[in-house]
Amino acid sequence: MITFKGVHKWFKTLHVLNDINLHVTPGEVLVVCGPSGSGKSTLIRTINQLEPINQGELIVDGINLSDKKADINKLRAEIGFVFQQFNLYPHLSVINNITLAPIKIRKTPRAEAEKQAMALLERVGLAEKRDAYPLQLSGGQQQRVAIARGLAMKPRIMLFDEPTSALDPEMIGEVLAVMKDLALSGMTMVVVTHEMGFAREVAHRVVFMDHGAILEEAPPNEFFGNPKHERAQQFLRQLLTPMQCECP
Amino acid sequence: MIFHHPPLLHTSLGFFVLNYQFDWSVVTSGKYFDWLVSGLITTLKLSCISIVLAFILGLVIAIMRMSHSRPIRWIAHAYLEFYRNTPLLVQIFFWYFGSYKILPAVINDWLVSTNFEFAAGVIALTIYTSAFIAEDIRSGILSIPKEQMEAARSAGFSYLRSMQYIILPQAVRITIPPLVNQFLNLAKNSSLAMTIGVMEMTYQARQVESYTFKGFEAFTAATVVYLVLSIVITSLVNLYNEKVLNLHKAA
Ligand SMILES: Nc1ncnc2c1ncn2[C@@H]1O[C@H](COP(=O)(O)OP(=O)(O)OP(=O)(O)O)[C@@H](O)[C@H]1O
Ligand SMILES: [Mg+2]
């Protein structure tokens, strides 16, 4: 579904992706973690070409992204992307946020697009917010709308870049529940997150990045139970310590 | 094509004579009132047509200004600098006296057979105002967070479609107050079109003055009309700001 072969990327002189080799199979849920600045966002953003790569090969849903003839807009329509900061369209109501792309890109008739949008809003538990504007919603609600917006295009892949990092703790659960439900439905997902509970429970594989390179790649119980790389061990210790301090 | 020379300045003395007889009836009724009304209508027509065209042209220039292609950016930049930094009156004269010398005869004949003064006025005001509007729209676009463009592109919209459905609707909402300001400037600037014989508000006030020697009344009437126009439009904007913009803000 997604294949990285020796992918490199630089920002000027900064080597942000260093020889990435990775394969994601259909229906797989891959969690990416690593310290701040390790290149996780850059990695996930290359998958829908928000960031172009400089070297190597990246094949997504059968399309080689380096191919000049590749129709990137068409490919992006098949990939849902959920941002840390939600990035809903503030000038459109919830329902119009969700139906805009299906109507304009897929040419779905409005009535049908709205019916599908309502089904998605039911699924994320926000049917009563159909006519609200994004800024009238809480962060958790906005993120659930953003997930519904991504799903409205019936994507083959869903990408999540730290979807819960901007949320108050009490709202994280509602978003993770939606994502878990989605994972169980068989969606191919790449999720950048530090929610280790989610990773343990839902992920098929965990990838650990540092300084632009993938240092470790393992099933969750192996990664959490017995991390091989020293930096992964260190990362997990740091991740667990502050959380224990926060919840006395 | 006739250039209407305004009648000579033989009435200005009226302002300085102490026993000046005010006569407001000349501007509140009768044929001179009708002149002023027709002047107002021409001013509104001139301003409304020009602002719509200037908005469209300004939008195009703003987008060109942000294009990825360097030559296109440069052309837009040159356009802006040129039209913002030359006097409007010169531009009006250019389109009125200069343009027909370079335009093909067919277009000229057609222009003369229509209302050439008015057309030249519209062209000059449109182009001049579009340069200012383009900058307003551009700063509106720049004020939209780049994540909005990323969200739109991620959904599969092309760059131009993202602009159309996601960036510009937000940018234009932000730009409405400065745009209205441009409209008010335009309405006031349109009085310069009297110099090429467009029979707008100021031109008609001048006509009334030269026929009646009631310069004080005539130009007071014109002043009041411009003022009322400004106040009405400004209040509409305030209403818009309250009703529409707040809807998109946090409850
Ligand atoms: N557009 C850019 N231009 C230049 N440098 C960038 C750009 N985007 C990211 N970087 C740099 O690339 C490196 C990797 O950034 P990236 O956002 O991928 O990290 P991350 O793992 O997602 O970090 P975080 O956990 O803080 O989100 C960082 O050093 C960052 O400063
Ligand atoms: Mg990041």
Side-chain angles (χ1 to χ4, degrees):
Chain A
M1 201 82 188
I2 306 170
T3 306
F4 288 80
K5 283 187 203 154
V7 169
H8 289 263
K9 179 174 178 68
W10 287 266
F11 284 120
K12 301 262 168 59
T13 54
L14 187 67
H15 202 167
V16 270
L17 292 183
N18 185 353
D19 193 26
I20 301 290
N21 291 286
L22 190 64
H23 183 73
V24 182
T25 53
E28 189 177 10
V29 177
L30 180 79
V31 160
V32 180
C33 63
S36 179
S38 56
K40 307 178 296 292
S41 297
T42 310
L43 176 80
I44 200 173
R45 287 159 61 92
T46 59
I47 297 172
N48 73 348
Q49 273 240 325
L50 278 180
E51 300 288 358
I53 62 172
N54 299 125
Q55 193 183 314
E57 221 173 49
L58 177 48
I59 298 157
V60 180
D61 202 14
I63 294 171
N64 188 329
L65 296 188
S66 314
D67 187 349
K68 289 269 179 298
K69 289 193 294 287
D71 185 345
I72 295 303
N73 291 332
K74 190 151 166 275
L75 177 65
R76 282 176 175 154
E78 305 294 336
I79 304 176
F81 198 107
V82 176
F83 298 85
Q84 183 173 354
Q85 298 294 342
F86 334 129
N87 299 347
L88 293 174
Y89 311 131
H91 62 300
L92 298 178
S93 62
V94 163
I95 186 92
N96 288 335
N97 260 276
I98 300 174
T99 56
L100 184 69
I103 291 174
K104 300 296 183 188
I105 297 174
R106 295 259 196 264
K107 311 290 178 209
T108 313
R110 176 173 290 277
E112 198 189 322
E114 288 190 354
K115 212 174 100 202
Q116 290 168 5
M118 283 315 293
L120 287 169
L121 280 176
E122 297 280 358
R123 189 166 162 192
V124 300
L126 288 171
E128 80 283 3
K129 297 291 185 189
R130 61 165 283 161
D131 295 317
Y133 279 84
L135 297 179
Q136 297 168 331
L137 304 180
S138 74
Q141 291 172 332
Q142 287 188 57
Q143 194 61 299
R144 285 185 281 155
V145 172
I147 295 173
R149 177 178 70 176
L151 292 175
M153 292 293 277
K154 302 197 172 74
R156 297 165 55 77
I157 302 171
M158 283 291 282
L159 306 175
F160 297 81
D161 189 1
E162 304 207 32
T164 56
S165 299
L167 299 178
D168 293 338
E170 71 271 20
M171 292 171 185
I172 292 176
E174 65 195 43
V175 172
L176 290 179
V178 169
M179 290 169 59
K180 185 177 163 192
D181 172 57
L182 189 60
L184 293 177
S185 76
M187 177 66 75
T188 308
M189 291 163 66
V190 179
V191 185
V192 174
T193 186
H194 290 161
E195 290 299 329
M196 291 306 142
F198 175 83
R200 222 186 263 273
E201 199 179 342
V202 180
H204 299 117
R205 213 153 32 115
V206 179
V207 158
F208 175 75
M209 285 184 78
D210 196 16
H211 290 107
I214 292 178
L215 296 189
E216 189 150 349
E217 190 184 328
N221 43 16
E222 204 176 308
F223 177 74
F224 292 112
N226 182 22
K228 285 182 197 60
H229 205 284
E230 181 204 332
R231 283 230 279 286
Q233 296 165 359
Q234 200 183 346
F235 172 75
L236 284 174
R237 270 200 305 277
Q238 275 171 356
L239 201 66
L240 293 176
T241 322
M243 273 167 77
Q244 281 161 353
C245 294
E246 257 175 8
C247 330
Chain B
M1 204 163 358
I2 303 150
F3 180 60
H4 301 274
H5 273 286
L8 293 171
L9 307 162
H10 48 141
T11 55
S12 348
L13 272 178
F15 286 99
F16 302 104
V17 176
L18 282 175
N19 61 353
Y20 179 73
Q21 293 285 312
F22 288 104
D23 180 4
W24 294 99
S25 68
V26 299
V27 294
T28 54
S29 59
K31 133 175 126 173
Y32 301 122
F33 173 76
D34 294 344
W35 286 6
L36 291 176
V37 170
S38 92
L40 172 61
I41 290 170
T42 304
T43 288
L44 288 175
K45 262 194 343 211
L46 189 60
S47 308
C48 291
I49 295 174
S50 301
I51 196 74
V52 171
L53 297 178
F55 176 73
I56 296 168
L57 194 57
L59 200 59
V60 173
I61 301 290
I63 292 173
M64 284 173 65
R65 185 92 167 72
M66 307 181 79
S67 160
H68 294 296
S69 144
R70 191 185 289 259
I72 291 182
R73 270 204 314 269
W74 191 87
I75 291 170
H77 191 72
Y79 178 98
L80 290 176
E81 291 302 326
F82 185 83
Y83 286 109
R84 285 192 307 169
N85 294 312
T86 46
L88 176 56
L89 191 55
V90 174
Q91 292 181 30
I92 291 176
F93 284 164
F94 174 82
W95 292 110
Y96 185 67
F97 296 111
S99 68
Y100 74 94
K101 305 214 161 139
I102 53 168
L103 289 176
V106 213
I107 298 184
N108 264 323
D109 292 346
W110 176 75
L111 279 175
V112 173
S113 73
T114 58
N115 185 344
F116 184 52
E117 296 82 31
F118 188 81
V122 166
I123 294 172
L125 287 166
T126 295
I127 290 181
Y128 179 77
T129 309
S130 73
F132 291 90
I133 288 183
E135 284 298 80
D136 288 338
I137 294 179
R138 190 172 80 103
S139 43
I141 292 174
L142 288 178
S143 72
I144 306 300
K146 71 173 197 323
E147 285 78 11
Q148 286 291 310
M149 180 56 98
E150 288 183 349
R153 298 307 301 272
S154 300
F157 288 107
S158 67
Y159 175 80
L160 284 178
R161 291 279 170 247
S162 304
M163 275 287 174
Q164 180 186 353
Y165 297 126
I166 289 116
I167 307 300
L168 287 178
Q170 297 181 55
V172 167
R173 275 179 178 80
I174 294 176
T175 314
I176 294 262
L179 275 182
V180 171
N181 221 1
Q182 294 301 347
F183 178 71
L184 292 177
N185 284 338
L186 172 60
K188 286 179 273 181
N189 286 337
S190 72
S191 63
L192 288 177
M194 76 169 284
T195 57
I196 55 169
V198 179
M199 294 155 85
E200 47 67 70
M201 190 68 212
T202 310
Y203 179 97
Q204 295 291 16
R206 188 64 193 266
Q207 286 287 93
V208 171
E209 184 260 1
S210 49
Y211 276 76
T212 63
F213 306 130
K214 293 294 175 193
F216 186 83
E217 291 84 341
F219 285 107
T220 302
T223 305
V224 168
V225 167
Y226 284 117
L227 259 180
V228 168
L229 206 63
S230 294
I231 292 169
V232 168
I233 290 171
T234 311
S235 331
L236 287 178
V237 179
N238 291 340
L239 206 68
Y240 168 88
N241 281 344
E242 275 168 34
K243 292 267 142 98
V244 180
L245 285 186
N246 285 346
L247 199 60
H248 305 298
K249 301 224 174 83

